[in-house]
mmCIF file of all heavy atoms in Angstrom:
data_model
loop_
_atom_site.group_PDB
_atom_site.id
_atom_site.type_symbol
_atom_site.label_atom_id
_atom_site.label_comp_id
_atom_site.label_asym_id
_atom_site.label_seq_id
_atom_site.Cartn_x
_atom_site.Cartn_y
_atom_site.Cartn_z
ATOM 1 N N GLY A 106 -22.427 3.597 -12.470
ATOM 2 C CA GLY A 106 -23.670 2.820 -12.658
ATOM 3 C C GLY A 106 -23.488 1.455 -13.157
ATOM 4 O O GLY A 106 -24.492 0.629 -13.252
ATOM 5 N N ARG A 107 -22.301 1.040 -13.555
ATOM 6 C CA ARG A 107 -21.978 -0.349 -14.071
ATOM 7 C C ARG A 107 -22.199 -1.339 -12.939
ATOM 8 O O ARG A 107 -21.859 -0.990 -11.758
ATOM 9 C CB ARG A 107 -20.675 -0.502 -14.618
ATOM 10 C CG ARG A 107 -20.322 0.295 -15.931
ATOM 11 C CD ARG A 107 -18.938 0.154 -16.330
ATOM 12 N NE ARG A 107 -17.926 0.786 -15.371
ATOM 13 C CZ ARG A 107 -17.038 0.105 -14.683
ATOM 14 N NH1 ARG A 107 -16.872 -1.104 -14.944
ATOM 15 N NH2 ARG A 107 -16.214 0.726 -13.970
ATOM 16 N N SER A 108 -22.596 -2.490 -13.334
ATOM 17 C CA SER A 108 -22.701 -3.579 -12.242
ATOM 18 C C SER A 108 -21.311 -4.124 -11.871
ATOM 19 O O SER A 108 -20.510 -4.246 -12.817
ATOM 20 C CB SER A 108 -23.484 -4.679 -12.734
ATOM 21 O OG SER A 108 -23.471 -5.754 -11.824
ATOM 22 N N ASP A 109 -21.062 -4.271 -10.558
ATOM 23 C CA ASP A 109 -19.763 -4.650 -10.135
ATOM 24 C C ASP A 109 -19.731 -6.161 -9.734
ATOM 25 O O ASP A 109 -18.729 -6.636 -9.475
ATOM 26 C CB ASP A 109 -19.259 -3.819 -9.011
ATOM 27 C CG ASP A 109 -17.882 -3.747 -8.858
ATOM 28 O OD1 ASP A 109 -17.093 -3.812 -9.827
ATOM 29 O OD2 ASP A 109 -17.396 -3.593 -7.637
ATOM 30 N N ARG A 110 -20.938 -6.768 -9.666
ATOM 31 C CA ARG A 110 -21.031 -8.118 -9.239
ATOM 32 C C ARG A 110 -20.386 -9.051 -10.279
ATOM 33 O O ARG A 110 -20.471 -8.755 -11.446
ATOM 34 C CB ARG A 110 -22.499 -8.514 -9.044
ATOM 35 C CG ARG A 110 -23.075 -7.806 -7.770
ATOM 36 C CD ARG A 110 -22.865 -8.666 -6.587
ATOM 37 N NE ARG A 110 -23.467 -8.050 -5.475
ATOM 38 C CZ ARG A 110 -22.964 -8.185 -4.250
ATOM 39 N NH1 ARG A 110 -22.000 -8.944 -4.056
ATOM 40 N NH2 ARG A 110 -23.549 -7.589 -3.266
ATOM 41 N N GLY A 111 -19.761 -10.114 -9.834
ATOM 42 C CA GLY A 111 -19.290 -11.042 -10.793
ATOM 43 C C GLY A 111 -17.857 -10.896 -11.230
ATOM 44 O O GLY A 111 -17.436 -11.632 -12.089
ATOM 45 N N LYS A 112 -17.228 -9.776 -10.934
ATOM 46 C CA LYS A 112 -15.822 -9.544 -11.274
ATOM 47 C C LYS A 112 -14.982 -10.355 -10.336
ATOM 48 O O LYS A 112 -14.747 -9.918 -9.251
ATOM 49 C CB LYS A 112 -15.425 -8.071 -11.270
ATOM 50 C CG LYS A 112 -16.118 -7.274 -12.346
ATOM 51 C CD LYS A 112 -15.380 -5.888 -12.389
ATOM 52 C CE LYS A 112 -15.916 -5.325 -13.602
ATOM 53 N NZ LYS A 112 -15.170 -3.953 -13.839
ATOM 54 N N LEU A 113 -14.544 -11.461 -10.830
ATOM 55 C CA LEU A 113 -13.592 -12.307 -9.927
ATOM 56 C C LEU A 113 -12.209 -12.032 -10.359
ATOM 57 O O LEU A 113 -11.875 -12.036 -11.462
ATOM 58 C CB LEU A 113 -14.014 -13.896 -10.144
ATOM 59 C CG LEU A 113 -15.368 -14.252 -9.600
ATOM 60 C CD1 LEU A 113 -15.592 -15.754 -9.969
ATOM 61 C CD2 LEU A 113 -15.453 -14.140 -8.070
ATOM 62 N N GLU A 114 -11.406 -11.943 -9.274
ATOM 63 C CA GLU A 114 -10.016 -11.737 -9.408
ATOM 64 C C GLU A 114 -9.380 -12.374 -8.227
ATOM 65 O O GLU A 114 -9.598 -12.002 -7.084
ATOM 66 C CB GLU A 114 -9.687 -10.228 -9.391
ATOM 67 C CG GLU A 114 -8.152 -9.944 -9.723
ATOM 68 C CD GLU A 114 -7.881 -10.031 -11.167
ATOM 69 O OE1 GLU A 114 -8.784 -10.015 -11.989
ATOM 70 O OE2 GLU A 114 -6.666 -10.208 -11.474
ATOM 71 N N GLY A 115 -8.588 -13.462 -8.477
ATOM 72 C CA GLY A 115 -7.982 -14.120 -7.371
ATOM 73 C C GLY A 115 -8.944 -14.893 -6.449
ATOM 74 O O GLY A 115 -8.703 -15.070 -5.315
ATOM 75 N N GLY A 116 -10.173 -15.222 -6.977
ATOM 76 C CA GLY A 116 -11.124 -15.961 -6.221
ATOM 77 C C GLY A 116 -12.022 -15.110 -5.402
ATOM 78 O O GLY A 116 -12.760 -15.589 -4.687
ATOM 79 N N ARG A 117 -11.856 -13.777 -5.447
ATOM 80 C CA ARG A 117 -12.726 -12.846 -4.635
ATOM 81 C C ARG A 117 -13.343 -11.799 -5.607
ATOM 82 O O ARG A 117 -12.909 -11.482 -6.593
ATOM 83 C CB ARG A 117 -11.935 -12.179 -3.556
ATOM 84 C CG ARG A 117 -11.451 -13.124 -2.470
ATOM 85 C CD ARG A 117 -10.686 -12.174 -1.442
ATOM 86 N NE ARG A 117 -10.093 -12.943 -0.480
ATOM 87 C CZ ARG A 117 -10.547 -13.246 0.658
ATOM 88 N NH1 ARG A 117 -11.738 -12.777 1.070
ATOM 89 N NH2 ARG A 117 -9.918 -14.020 1.540
ATOM 90 N N VAL A 118 -14.498 -11.330 -5.160
ATOM 91 C CA VAL A 118 -15.261 -10.301 -5.944
ATOM 92 C C VAL A 118 -14.632 -9.011 -5.356
ATOM 93 O O VAL A 118 -14.640 -8.825 -4.110
ATOM 94 C CB VAL A 118 -16.731 -10.376 -5.755
ATOM 95 C CG1 VAL A 118 -17.399 -9.189 -6.458
ATOM 96 C CG2 VAL A 118 -17.256 -11.684 -6.346
ATOM 97 N N LEU A 119 -14.191 -8.091 -6.177
ATOM 98 C CA LEU A 119 -13.613 -6.851 -5.726
ATOM 99 C C LEU A 119 -14.231 -5.650 -6.387
ATOM 100 O O LEU A 119 -14.657 -5.795 -7.497
ATOM 101 C CB LEU A 119 -12.120 -6.806 -5.990
ATOM 102 C CG LEU A 119 -11.211 -7.881 -5.249
ATOM 103 C CD1 LEU A 119 -9.820 -7.857 -5.810
ATOM 104 C CD2 LEU A 119 -11.281 -7.610 -3.720
ATOM 105 N N PRO A 120 -14.313 -4.598 -5.647
ATOM 106 C CA PRO A 120 -14.864 -3.291 -6.327
ATOM 107 C C PRO A 120 -13.887 -2.787 -7.293
ATOM 108 O O PRO A 120 -12.744 -3.111 -7.225
ATOM 109 C CB PRO A 120 -15.005 -2.349 -5.093
ATOM 110 C CG PRO A 120 -14.046 -2.810 -4.149
ATOM 111 C CD PRO A 120 -13.987 -4.312 -4.306
ATOM 112 N N SER A 121 -14.457 -2.113 -8.297
ATOM 113 C CA SER A 121 -13.593 -1.540 -9.332
ATOM 114 C C SER A 121 -12.934 -0.179 -8.982
ATOM 115 O O SER A 121 -12.182 0.347 -9.704
ATOM 116 C CB SER A 121 -14.370 -1.328 -10.636
ATOM 117 O OG SER A 121 -14.849 -2.537 -11.081
ATOM 118 N N THR A 122 -13.400 0.346 -7.830
ATOM 119 C CA THR A 122 -12.833 1.702 -7.441
ATOM 120 C C THR A 122 -12.057 1.624 -6.118
ATOM 121 O O THR A 122 -12.673 1.348 -5.030
ATOM 122 C CB THR A 122 -13.936 2.710 -7.233
ATOM 123 O OG1 THR A 122 -14.897 2.137 -6.410
ATOM 124 C CG2 THR A 122 -14.673 2.981 -8.610
ATOM 125 N N LEU A 123 -10.812 1.747 -6.159
ATOM 126 C CA LEU A 123 -9.867 1.870 -5.019
ATOM 127 C C LEU A 123 -9.005 2.966 -5.295
ATOM 128 O O LEU A 123 -8.784 3.480 -6.300
ATOM 129 C CB LEU A 123 -9.081 0.510 -4.962
ATOM 130 C CG LEU A 123 -9.913 -0.824 -4.765
ATOM 131 C CD1 LEU A 123 -9.024 -1.994 -4.883
ATOM 132 C CD2 LEU A 123 -10.577 -0.768 -3.430
ATOM 133 N N SER A 124 -8.340 3.283 -4.168
ATOM 134 C CA SER A 124 -7.351 4.554 -4.363
ATOM 135 C C SER A 124 -5.978 4.050 -4.301
ATOM 136 O O SER A 124 -5.602 3.004 -3.798
ATOM 137 C CB SER A 124 -7.607 5.576 -3.251
ATOM 138 O OG SER A 124 -7.343 4.951 -1.996
ATOM 139 N N ASP A 125 -5.088 4.860 -4.842
ATOM 140 C CA ASP A 125 -3.644 4.701 -4.837
ATOM 141 C C ASP A 125 -3.148 3.796 -5.904
ATOM 142 O O ASP A 125 -3.812 2.881 -6.289
ATOM 143 C CB ASP A 125 -3.062 4.381 -3.516
ATOM 144 C CG ASP A 125 -3.465 5.361 -2.390
ATOM 145 O OD1 ASP A 125 -3.355 6.656 -2.627
ATOM 146 O OD2 ASP A 125 -3.873 4.929 -1.333
ATOM 147 N N ASP A 126 -1.881 3.917 -6.230
ATOM 148 C CA ASP A 126 -1.313 3.120 -7.257
ATOM 149 C C ASP A 126 -0.699 1.891 -6.506
ATOM 150 O O ASP A 126 0.285 1.926 -5.838
ATOM 151 C CB ASP A 126 -0.164 3.787 -8.004
ATOM 152 C CG ASP A 126 0.510 2.993 -9.050
ATOM 153 O OD1 ASP A 126 0.056 1.893 -9.264
ATOM 154 O OD2 ASP A 126 1.464 3.455 -9.667
ATOM 155 N N LEU A 127 -1.316 0.747 -6.610
ATOM 156 C CA LEU A 127 -0.892 -0.426 -5.946
ATOM 157 C C LEU A 127 -0.321 -1.364 -6.916
ATOM 158 O O LEU A 127 -0.050 -2.573 -6.624
ATOM 159 C CB LEU A 127 -2.050 -1.210 -5.294
ATOM 160 C CG LEU A 127 -2.952 -0.185 -4.442
ATOM 161 C CD1 LEU A 127 -4.165 -1.055 -3.801
ATOM 162 C CD2 LEU A 127 -2.085 0.202 -3.246
ATOM 163 N N SER A 128 0.094 -0.971 -8.174
ATOM 164 C CA SER A 128 0.557 -1.934 -9.196
ATOM 165 C C SER A 128 1.822 -2.770 -8.871
ATOM 166 O O SER A 128 1.932 -3.750 -9.397
ATOM 167 C CB SER A 128 0.768 -0.993 -10.413
ATOM 168 O OG SER A 128 1.790 -0.121 -10.245
ATOM 169 N N ASP A 129 2.659 -2.275 -8.005
ATOM 170 C CA ASP A 129 3.794 -3.026 -7.625
ATOM 171 C C ASP A 129 3.741 -3.759 -6.331
ATOM 172 O O ASP A 129 4.789 -4.238 -5.841
ATOM 173 C CB ASP A 129 5.077 -2.220 -7.830
ATOM 174 C CG ASP A 129 5.156 -1.161 -6.775
ATOM 175 O OD1 ASP A 129 4.138 -0.832 -6.194
ATOM 176 O OD2 ASP A 129 6.297 -0.646 -6.549
ATOM 177 N N LEU A 130 2.569 -3.752 -5.791
ATOM 178 C CA LEU A 130 2.456 -4.350 -4.403
ATOM 179 C C LEU A 130 2.133 -5.861 -4.530
ATOM 180 O O LEU A 130 1.603 -6.266 -5.580
ATOM 181 C CB LEU A 130 1.384 -3.675 -3.598
ATOM 182 C CG LEU A 130 1.620 -2.227 -3.285
ATOM 183 C CD1 LEU A 130 0.434 -1.734 -2.635
ATOM 184 C CD2 LEU A 130 2.857 -1.966 -2.565
#
Side-chain angles (χ1 to χ4, degrees):
R107 291 179 295 119
S108 172
D109 203 34
R110 290 273 180 208
K112 285 192 174 188
L113 288 176
E114 185 77 24
R117 291 182 187 262
V118 178
L119 294 174
S121 296
T122 53
L123 298 171
S124 62
D125 302 316
D126 182 4
L127 307 178
S128 61
D129 67 341
L130 301 179

